[in-house]
């Protein structure tokens, strides 16, 4: 069990190093040697988990569709806001996440591995459909169209953001995106209660971490009993 | 004069070929040989206009900030819609335009050449400011923030669109983007008269072409007199 936990941790370290290298150099120019150097693991350990650069890229993309840090909310629209805001909070500190956008935007890498965009669109469409079922959306809203536009817009704002040196955080921009999108889709009643402040992602992420830390401690305590 | 016109045409042919090659292969893998083959010009002609692959990329990016095809409108909001819709109409048929997005999204190419995003943001912000001066925008709207979000969203929707095989045109998606953004920024009176139909770009582009063709004919007739 401890051995398995270590293997999971090693795999994670390798993926994070691969994410950083893909993010910085792009898929073509990234080398296994550079990933090895950053991961600080042996060649044997890397090849045990990933047989090739292709498999590393697939591994990185496999981590891209994550809602870790999002907590269930009564309002499904608030949950949708939290998904985008937590990601905007996490992404600048997690090369594994930004790398998946770089790989998806790179036409050559995309032809090899596909993207996580279809998965994201399905996920966001389901989230918006749940909000609609709860009466939070205007009746004419096409949830699939909304999900497509949102995933495209979120992605583009991140990509353009990395090129602009305007001192504005990604969180602040994505908060703005929600403020632009929401009046077009939400019923006024649902709109009023929503929290789209730029620090929403950070607050939700901290609550999640605190809750998660608590659970881990409980688990350990349970083991000692 | 005829010689100069030919030189302009040759330069344009080379840029269009370069756009197609950058778009397909990315900056790194694009070769001058491939660009030459597609342009159907001599090596001498190419090097007369562009000394290197770098200069070709700069030339392609130099063509990216274009509002060709947009006609003046009484409503500056309608003009803003037309800018995005004409571009959505033109881009799938003009590799020169899509190549500039590919080059800007490629971190290595971007480090070498910069992007046209800052220019686009300035331009859209000025357009929205003019709409605001005419009383078309809600008073709280921050035109610069709106321009940044719009340029990011437009770009991302184009990038994601090329990866999705959903049979939906870019024009239809960008029309959807305007329908999402407009209620957040426009006063209800301005909103009602706007044309954001998916074929808006095609119609404006055709009017522009017809007008332009008329002007060229008039010019020639004038020369004969």
């Amino acid at each position: 069990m401890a051995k398995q936990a270590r293997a999971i941790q090693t795999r994670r370290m390798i993926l994070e190093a691969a994410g950083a290298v893909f993010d910085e150099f792009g898929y073509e120019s990234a080398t296994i040697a550079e990933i090895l150097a950053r991961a600080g693991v042996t060649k044997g350990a890397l090849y045990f988990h990933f047989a090739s650069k292709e498999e590393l890229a697939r591994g990185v993309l496999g981590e891209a569709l994550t809602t870790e840090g999002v907590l269930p909310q009564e309002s499904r629209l608030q949950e949708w806001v939290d998904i985008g805001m937590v990601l905007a909070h996490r992404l600048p500190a997690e090369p594994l996440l930004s790398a998946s956008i770089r790989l998806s935007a790179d036409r050559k890498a995309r032809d090899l591995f596909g993207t996580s965009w279809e998965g994201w669109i399905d996920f966001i469409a389901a989230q918006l459909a749940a909000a609609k079922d709860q009466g939070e959306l205007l009746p004419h809203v096409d949830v699939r169209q909304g999900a497509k536009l949102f995933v495209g817009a979120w992605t583009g704002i991140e990509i353009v953001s990395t090129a602009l040196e305007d001192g504005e955080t990604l969180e602040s921009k994505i908060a703005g995106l929600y403020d632009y999108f929401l009046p077009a889709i939400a019923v006024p009643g649902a709109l009023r209660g929503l929290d789209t402040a730029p620090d929403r992602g950070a607050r939700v992420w901290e609550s999640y971490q605190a809750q998660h830390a608590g659970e881990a401690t409980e688990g350990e305590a349970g083991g000692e009993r």
Side-chain angles (χ1 to χ4, degrees), chain A:
Chain A
M1 189 57 182
K3 204 172 163 188
Q4 202 189 340
R6 259 202 307 278
I8 291 172
Q9 202 189 357
T10 303
R11 187 176 183 280
R12 183 82 196 172
M13 279 164 63
I14 296 167
L15 277 181
E16 282 178 3
V21 173
F22 287 137
D23 200 27
E24 193 172 329
F25 296 94
Y27 178 71
E28 283 283 291
S29 309
T31 64
I32 299 251
E34 183 67 32
I35 294 169
L36 266 177
R38 301 228 188 164
V41 301
T42 65
K43 209 167 182 172
L46 188 142
Y47 281 107
F48 173 76
H49 289 283
F50 302 97
S52 62
K53 191 165 86 166
E54 287 77 4
E55 280 197 14
L56 281 162
R58 275 183 225 281
V60 167
L61 280 166
E63 302 288 318
L65 191 56
T66 174
T67 55
E68 196 191 340
V70 177
L71 296 167
Q73 304 289 332
E74 239 176 83
S75 157
R76 300 299 294 261
L77 267 186
Q78 184 66 60
E79 249 181 61
W80 173 55
V81 170
D82 291 353
I83 291 164
M85 290 305 295
V86 166
L87 211 59
H89 174 68
R90 289 176 56 195
L91 189 134
E94 298 186 34
L96 197 45
L97 297 178
S98 44
S100 74
I101 297 186
R102 292 291 97 63
L103 288 173
S104 296
D106 176 334
R107 209 171 260 205
K108 203 176 286 173
R110 184 204 298 169
D111 288 346
L112 287 170
F113 314 116
T115 76
S116 57
W117 290 325
E118 296 268 11
W120 270 113
I121 290 167
D122 290 344
F123 182 75
I124 300 292
Q127 189 68 27
L128 290 176
K132 199 171 188 179
D133 287 344
Q134 285 192 181
E136 296 182 88
L137 294 198
L138 296 166
H140 70 270
V141 173
D142 176 338
V143 295
R144 188 142 199 99
Q145 188 212 21
K148 265 193 229 178
L149 291 175
F150 177 75
V151 169
W154 198 107
T155 304
I157 288 166
E158 195 279 331
I159 291 174
V160 171
S161 181
T162 57
L164 300 178
E165 284 166 4
D166 58 1
E168 196 189 342
T169 62
L170 180 61
E171 289 168 285
S172 155
K173 286 176 180 143
I174 297 299
L177 176 65
Y178 280 108
D179 288 338
Y180 268 69
F181 264 41
L182 280 163
I185 62 167
V187 298
L191 204 53
R192 268 193 296 276
L194 291 180
D195 178 359
T196 61
D199 68 343
R200 172 75 189 175
R203 281 184 278 115
V204 173
W205 180 242
E206 274 162 34
S207 304
Y208 173 86
Q209 299 283 78
Q211 210 166 297
H212 197 74
E215 276 168 19
T217 311
E218 272 170 42
E220 276 169 34
E224 277 167 12
R225 241 178 268 149

